[in-house]
Amino acid sequence: MKALDGIKILDFTHVQSGPTCTQLLAWFGADVIKVERPGVGDATRKQLVDVPGADSLYFTMLNHNKRSIELNSKNPVGKEVLIRLIKECDVLVENFAPGALDRMGFSWENIQKINPRIILASIKGFGPGKYQDCKVYENVAQCAGGSASTTGFRDGPPLVTGAQIGDSGTGLHLCLGIVTALFQREKTGRGQKVTAAMQDSVLNLARVKMRDQQRLAAGPLTEYSQFGEGIPFGEAVPRAGNDSGGGQPGRILKCKGWETDPNAYTYFITQAAVWEKVCDVIGEPEWKTKPGYATPKERLDKLNEIFARIEQWTMTKTKLEVMEICNPHDIPVGPILSMKEIAEDEGLYATGTLVRVPHPTRGEYISVGCPIKLSDCEVEVTRSPLLGEHTHEILSSVLGYSGKELDDVIASGAVGEAR
């Protein structure tokens, strides 16, 4: 038995944020019915194509464990099919542009009339307010949510991160909202509307910077390298390079082979509790008691010198050797792992964090598996659906169409042809 067995999800999402959410629900056992335009489907099926004639990795890696139905909701018969799907499903998830559902005739009020128990879950770029009608993409969300202004080095421009905190991050937030609403429905019997705005989700993930914004009122941020270098702070939280957000001085340092390997680096934190061990490891035992070095406060104006000395040591070791040497001493370090190294880590396949998935048109590919592990709900990752692959199956097994009624729906052009 899966955790979400028996839950039906009507998936009107596309691209990344919504599919991230519905894929998680599918992994935990929900029956996710992905509604796609006949002959077209999710736009990502044909974006960044690497295997001609096959769905792109962009699509396949976001739509595992789902069923696909091709449905033209503008067709009168298609609209009736959609109404029946709303009646049968527990959750409708969408990330259309603002107002799109209303223009289709499916406002929240109308959806409630069709099925009072349904949960309508929506992703939007911004919440209610002056920007609510603006269209938002990943990097726009990172910029509007405060991440970009606080990412990068002090003397450089704002930077976006490679982690998709705007799209996938919002999908994760919405998934939690859906499961919470389902839990509440068990008590009330009523559905409700769940929304997650991309700006809000990014800001939630950047909350430590909002913490620091408020701390600025009390004086400079002493854990930032900027303070140790004697550079005044402005009115807003600055970019802090690779400083640790937790208040412990940290830097990314070169390791052996950095001249030819762009990822031969390690993250190294000089945590106060292990300072003496750090001194021993790098060959500076006198620093443990040397005036100006013994306490965290004394070391603030010497961080550049300290990390330069640590880097002299790390440059004599590979990033994995640094980890092997430091971890037994509880010194917090972490190798900068490339995507190639991660893709070749068999330990990640053993835990299901990475999976190898067979596909009928593109062959086997690597995908990220479910990041959340439940002891009583094992996740099996199955391939993404071909466009409209389950159209007739959904019409018959979910909606009960059969015989002439099924033939009439197919003949109407409301649904795609069987594949």
Side-chain angles (χ1 to χ4, degrees):
M1 180 180 179
K2 302 290 186 183
L4 296 179
D5 271 349
I7 298 296
K8 289 185 173 62
I9 310 292
L10 190 54
D11 184 358
F12 262 105
T13 70
H14 58 286
V15 192
Q16 183 180 165
S17 60
T20 297
C21 169
T22 53
Q23 179 171 256
L24 278 168
L25 298 170
W27 278 340
F28 291 135
D31 180 10
V32 176
I33 300 170
K34 187 175 180 71
V35 180
E36 302 188 76
R37 285 187 297 160
V40 178
D42 191 315
T44 58
R45 284 185 182 271
K46 301 305 176 188
Q47 286 183 4
L48 308 176
V49 171
D50 59 314
V51 177
D55 290 330
S56 72
L57 286 168
Y58 197 1
F59 176 82
T60 59
M61 292 177 69
L62 287 162
N63 291 281
H64 294 114
N65 297 58
K66 303 178 184 179
R67 297 198 282 177
S68 170
I69 178 173
E70 290 180 279
L71 182 63
N72 180 2
S73 60
K74 295 180 180 179
N75 178 299
V77 176
K79 193 167 186 176
E80 285 301 316
V81 172
L82 178 53
I83 290 171
R84 287 176 68 161
L85 281 168
I86 292 172
K87 287 180 180 178
E88 290 293 328
C89 289
D90 299 278
V91 186
L92 189 160
V93 190
E94 61 91 15
N95 61 333
F96 291 129
L101 264 187
D102 290 357
R103 291 190 293 273
M104 291 168 58
F106 291 97
S107 65
W108 170 228
E109 291 73 23
N110 287 341
I111 289 172
Q112 278 186 306
K113 290 175 184 176
I114 297 168
N115 182 355
R117 286 176 54 83
I118 200 167
I119 291 154
L120 172 60
S122 302
I123 287 176
K124 295 293 176 269
F126 294 95
K130 58 184 176 180
Y131 301 124
Q132 65 186 26
D133 294 328
C134 295
K135 199 167 186 178
V136 173
Y137 292 91
E138 171 66 45
N139 289 352
V140 175
Q142 290 194 28
C143 293
S147 174
S149 72
T150 56
T151 302
F153 288 91
R154 188 177 61 252
D155 55 356
L159 290 176
V160 296
T161 174
Q164 305 293 283
I165 60 175
D167 275 321
S168 287
T170 307
L172 290 167
H173 282 87
L174 188 69
C175 186
L176 173 60
I178 290 170
V179 173
T180 303
L182 286 170
F183 184 77
Q184 187 175 9
R185 193 182 70 176
E186 291 300 303
K187 302 174 183 179
T188 66
R190 299 190 308 272
Q192 62 181 294
K193 191 173 182 180
V194 179
T195 59
M198 294 174 72
Q199 180 189 39
D200 299 0
S201 297
V202 171
L203 179 56
N204 185 42
L205 296 174
R207 63 173 57 200
V208 297
K209 298 301 182 180
M210 183 56 73
R211 173 203 67 189
D212 292 347
Q213 179 63 42
Q214 296 171 88
R215 292 173 58 225
L216 272 175
L221 305 172
T222 57
E223 77 279 11
Y224 280 48
S225 298
Q226 180 173 335
F227 176 80
E229 295 169 15
I231 298 172
F233 285 78
E235 294 181 346
V237 174
R239 292 181 277 286
N242 291 314
D243 287 351
S244 168
Q248 302 289 345
R251 302 279 177 88
I252 290 181
L253 306 177
K254 297 172 183 174
C255 292
K256 187 175 182 179
W258 69 272
E259 299 92 341
T260 55
D261 181 355
N263 293 298
Y265 290 81
T266 189
Y267 195 84
F268 200 108
I269 298 177
T270 57
Q271 194 173 31
V274 294
W275 169 246
E276 294 188 359
K277 295 179 181 179
V278 171
C279 295
D280 289 335
V281 164
I282 66 172
E284 297 287 351
E286 69 279 5
W287 278 4
K288 289 186 282 187
T289 55
K290 184 178 179 179
Y293 290 79
T295 67
K297 188 174 182 179
E298 291 178 290
R299 293 193 290 271
L300 284 173
D301 63 349
K302 303 176 185 66
L303 290 179
N304 286 340
E305 173 199 348
I306 290 169
F307 279 111
R309 176 63 186 93
I310 296 172
E311 189 171 57
Q312 289 179 1
W313 177 78
T314 60
M315 287 171 66
T316 68
K317 315 291 180 190
T318 68
K319 60 189 179 185
L320 296 181
E321 288 172 339
V322 170
M323 195 173 188
E324 290 165 2
I325 292 169
C326 290
N327 274 355
H329 298 291
D330 294 325
I331 299 172
V333 297
I336 308 304
L337 296 179
S338 69
M339 282 297 168
K340 182 176 185 296
E341 290 171 307
I342 291 172
E344 294 171 352
D345 186 342
E346 290 301 322
L348 295 177
Y349 294 94
T351 61
T353 300
L354 286 177
V355 292
R356 295 181 176 91
V357 184
H359 193 278
T361 56
R362 68 171 302 110
E364 185 178 83
Y365 63 95
I366 296 170
S367 186
V368 177
C370 185
I372 304 162
K373 319 299 184 187
L374 274 64
S375 65
D376 206 23
C377 179
E378 185 177 352
V379 173
E380 178 189 0
V381 177
T382 61
R383 68 167 175 84
S384 59
L386 302 177
L387 178 58
E389 180 177 355
H390 306 96
T391 296
H392 294 186
E393 176 182 304
I394 291 167
L395 290 173
S396 58
S397 66
V398 177
L399 300 182
Y401 284 101
S402 63
K404 185 178 185 302
E405 188 183 23
L406 177 59
D407 293 339
D408 289 344
V409 171
I410 296 169
S412 72
V415 299
E417 295 295 324
R419 284 174 168 77

